């Protein structure tokens, strides 16, 4: 369960009172001129070599200020300086601000976002980007978020490529290699995947992952190469399996009342900046994938690249287990159907 679900403040974020507070909070003395500085919070260090989300945020800051002629300025708060996921989502719902949220922040208010993490939904970056940029499913998620919280879902931000497995017990090239291992899970959906492969999964916050791996509380975890470098996990993990099981992303959200309160010129300039910053970050991220893997290899990790047959084994076990997990969460089946249609994978429900 996400920490947001246990936060006593969380239920109020979905009430009419909370949304009214958001609207009142944005009626700031009549115009944007009274609040030209907008805070944006996100996870990870302010290091462009290690944090793809920071690359996006810094590009966004420069482009927003350039395109609005300095009328709108962004103030960056990396390293969760404005709070953990649930706190930042609460803030952006109630104040004129921006937030880059992970699944842990988004899923309590739009659990339908989990559908986008069906294993092996995308073959490559292009397929994933088309899915989010043009698909009906993602438009429906954007609408659901807006209706429930007043937030605008502005961009899907890549955080370093596709997810890879790491562990310190043995090379993993097929699901059978997971038998008996303990893995750190980011959320309950990852627990379901690990169990499908014969391992156990335990939710552990990102800030505690390194120590959990070092002390043997967990044998392994999964993240894109960028996060493995960011967290220095190569110091406590020996094996890297490039299974590319899921696309790794976070989500830029903004207070809808704030954005609606800008004049048309300001709003268009801001949205142009978001689109341009995201494209720059995508280009940078994709260009760094191979060098990040090479860096981890240089640090002593053994890199395993499963064969097509082995990847098929992961897919055949992982997809049904994940689909069953989605059904157990009572997610409206139309979201699943739309997502599979957008990804060209309708056979999963046939």
């Amino acid at each position: 369960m996400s920490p947001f679900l246990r936060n006593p403040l969380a239920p109020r974020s979905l009430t009419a009172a909370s949304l009214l507070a958001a609207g009142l909070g944005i009626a700031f003395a009549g115009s944007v001129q009274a609040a030209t500085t907008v805070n944006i919070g996100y996870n990870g260090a302010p290091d462009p070599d290690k944090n793809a989300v920071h690359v996006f945020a810094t590009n966004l800051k420069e482009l927003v200020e350039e395109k609005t002629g300095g009328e709108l300025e962004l103030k960056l708060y990396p390293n969760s300086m404005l709070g953990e996921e649930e706190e930042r989502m609460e803030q952006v719902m109630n104040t004129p601000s921006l937030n880059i949220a992970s699944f842990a922040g988004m899923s309590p208010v739009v659990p339908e976002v989990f559908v986008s993490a069906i294993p092996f939904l995308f073959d490559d970056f292009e397929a994933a980007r088309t899915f989010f940029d043009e698909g009906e499913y993602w438009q429906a998620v954007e609408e659901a978020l807006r209706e429930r919280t007043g937030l605008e879902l502005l961009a899907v931000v890549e955080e370093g490529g596709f997810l890879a497995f790491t562990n310190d017990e043995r090379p993993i090239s097929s699901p059978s290699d997971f038998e008996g291992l303990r893995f750190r899970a980011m959320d309950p959906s990852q627990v379901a995947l690990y169990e499908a492969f014969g391992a156990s999964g335990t939710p552990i916050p990102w800030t505690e992952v390194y120590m959990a791996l070092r002390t043997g509380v967990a044998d392994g975890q999964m993240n894109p190469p960028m996060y493995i470098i960011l967290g220095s996990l190569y110091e406590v993990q020996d094996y890297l399996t490039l299974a590319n099981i899921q696309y790794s992303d976070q989500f830029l959200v903004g207070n809808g009342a704030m954005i609606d309160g800008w004049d048309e010129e300001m709003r268009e300039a801001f949205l142009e900046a978001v689109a341009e910053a995201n494209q720059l970050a995508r280009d940078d991220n994709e260009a760094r994938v191979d060098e990040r893997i090479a860096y981890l290899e240089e640090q002593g990790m053994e890199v395993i690249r499963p064969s097509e047959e082995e990847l098929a084994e992961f897919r055949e076990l992982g997809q049904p287990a994940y689909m069953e997990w989605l059904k157990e969460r009572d997610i409206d089946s139309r979201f699943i159907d739309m997502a599979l249609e957008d990804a060209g994978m309708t056979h999963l429900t046939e």
Side-chain angles (χ1 to χ4, degrees), residues 111 114 187-190 192 320-331:
F114 278 125
D187 55 56
S189 73
Q190 290 190 349
Y322 196 92
M323 295 290 285
E324 182 61 31
W325 181 84
L326 288 176
K327 292 176 183 177
E328 291 172 358
R329 293 185 69 90
D330 294 324
I331 290 174

Side-chain angles (χ1 to χ4, degrees), residues 15-339:
T15 65
S18 178
L19 299 185
L20 177 59
L24 293 175
I26 300 303
F28 43 88
S31 79
V32 72
Q33 293 177 355
T36 57
T37 299
V38 175
N39 294 342
I40 176 170
Y42 53 97
N43 299 323
D47 185 335
D49 291 326
K50 294 181 178 179
N51 190 353
V53 174
H54 179 67
V55 171
F56 169 78
T58 52
N59 285 336
L60 182 61
K61 172 180 171 62
E62 292 174 5
L63 287 164
V64 163
E65 293 170 9
E66 172 191 317
K67 291 180 180 293
T68 64
E71 291 185 50
L72 188 63
E73 297 182 352
L74 300 189
K75 187 168 184 180
L76 308 185
Y77 287 91
N79 273 331
S80 305
M81 291 171 64
L82 296 180
E84 297 296 341
E85 293 282 351
E86 67 274 16
E87 295 171 287
R88 299 203 312 270
M89 286 296 281
E90 189 79 19
Q91 289 164 13
V92 79
M93 281 189 273
N94 291 291
T95 62
S97 58
L98 300 167
N99 176 42
I100 303 177
S102 73
F103 277 78
M106 290 283 289
S107 58
V109 288
V110 274
E112 295 87 351
V113 73
F114 278 125
V115 176
S116 68
I118 291 173
F120 300 102
L121 195 60
F122 315 115
D123 290 332
D124 51 33
F125 282 112
E126 182 180 358
R129 292 162 182 171
T130 299
F131 176 89
F132 288 107
D133 294 347
E134 303 175 14
E136 291 184 13
Y137 154 77
W138 197 244
Q139 291 178 17
V141 171
E142 291 174 350
E143 291 167 4
L145 180 68
R146 186 182 306 115
E147 290 171 2
R148 297 170 193 173
T149 67
L151 295 179
E152 291 290 335
L153 213 172
L154 299 161
V156 175
V157 182
E158 289 179 2
E159 56 175 357
F162 285 78
L163 295 180
F165 299 114
T166 70
N167 86 102
D168 66 347
E169 291 294 316
R170 54 180 175 264
I172 290 176
S173 59
S174 67
S176 61
D177 296 323
F178 275 86
E179 189 66 37
L181 297 181
R182 302 181 303 275
F183 272 74
R184 175 263 177 172
M186 179 179 67
D187 55 56
S189 73
Q190 290 190 349
V191 174
L193 276 180
Y194 292 133
E195 291 178 348
F197 300 151
S200 60
T202 302
I204 298 173
W206 169 250
T207 52
E208 299 175 18
V209 171
Y210 182 94
M211 189 56 64
L213 296 172
R214 182 179 178 181
T215 59
V217 171
D219 300 311
Q221 59 89 55
M222 66 173 168
N223 258 307
M226 184 206 80
Y227 264 87
I228 298 167
I229 295 170
L230 186 65
S232 299
L233 303 188
Y234 53 82
E235 295 178 354
V236 291
Q237 299 279 269
D238 296 327
Y239 306 102
L240 172 69
T241 301
L242 301 177
N244 293 350
I245 190 167
Q246 292 167 321
Y247 176 74
S248 181
D249 51 1
Q250 295 191 30
F251 313 95
L252 175 67
V253 295
N255 186 289
M258 171 185 72
I259 296 169
D260 290 343
W262 296 334
D263 61 39
E264 185 176 354
E265 184 178 0
M266 176 79 79
R267 189 161 51 248
E268 288 183 1
F270 172 76
L271 295 176
E272 285 178 8
V274 169
E276 192 172 329
N278 208 19
Q279 186 58 52
L280 289 171
R282 286 175 173 182
D283 292 344
D284 180 80
N285 177 55
E286 189 168 0
R288 291 173 180 254
V289 170
D290 290 340
E291 70 180 56
R292 286 173 176 146
I293 294 170
Y295 175 83
L296 291 171
E297 204 161 15
E298 290 168 4
Q299 302 311 305
M301 295 194 78
E302 179 182 334
V303 178
I304 298 98
R305 293 175 171 83
S307 66
E308 286 300 320
E309 292 77 14
E310 289 166 335
L311 289 175
E313 291 181 45
F314 280 115
R315 184 163 49 248
E316 288 164 8
L317 288 173
Q319 284 182 341
Y322 196 92
M323 295 290 285
E324 182 61 31
W325 181 84
L326 288 176
K327 292 176 183 177
E328 291 172 358
R329 293 185 69 90
D330 294 324
I331 290 174
D332 190 332
S333 61
R334 75 183 182 93
F335 282 89
I336 298 173
D337 293 339
M338 282 189 292

